[in-house]
Amino acid sequence: MSASTTESVGAGAVSPEQAALIRRFRADPLAAPDAQLRAFLLPLRNLPAARKHALMRLPAQQAWTLVRLGGRDAPVEIVGGRWCSRADAEWAVFRARWQAVHGWDPERLDD
């Protein structure tokens, strides 16, 4: 596949560069990102707080769950899921934010 083509995934398309960055993040969500990966992740991390997906620690269970921030004077909504691995939890929040912005689940990238 040449650098100018895209892969069709679900309802959207992704460039080979984006696909490589998604795969790299998936392989190690806890790794310190280099400049290229940081620039790729920044738009998802800088989404407006209201309705943004985030992780909430469940201390009694030593796990994380996915939530949606409520914004001003609105409660946090528990979306669900339970991850004991922080890496799996970080991938889950990436997937949720990506899907909210792009309309398809990056887990389907290699389908």
Side-chain angles (χ1 to χ4, degrees), residues 14-26:
V14 62
S15 72
E17 293 82 11
Q18 288 175 315
L21 290 166
I22 290 169
R23 288 181 182 110
R24 189 153 51 105
F25 181 78
R26 175 62 180 119

Side-chain angles (χ1 to χ4, degrees), residues 51-89:
R51 307 291 296 154
K52 180 179 178 179
H53 288 93
L55 294 172
M56 183 173 73
R57 181 88 165 109
L58 303 169
Q61 300 175 25
Q62 297 186 359
W64 289 263
T65 192
L66 191 62
V67 299
R68 210 183 269 252
L69 302 178
R72 180 173 293 216
D73 298 325
V76 169
E77 170 192 350
I78 296 176
V79 176
R82 183 179 173 276
W83 296 273
C84 293
S85 156
R86 182 164 166 232
D88 290 343

Side-chain angles (χ1 to χ4, degrees), residues 1-7 13-17:
M1 182 176 281
S2 73
S4 63
T5 61
T6 58
E7 296 179 40
V14 62
S15 72
E17 293 82 11

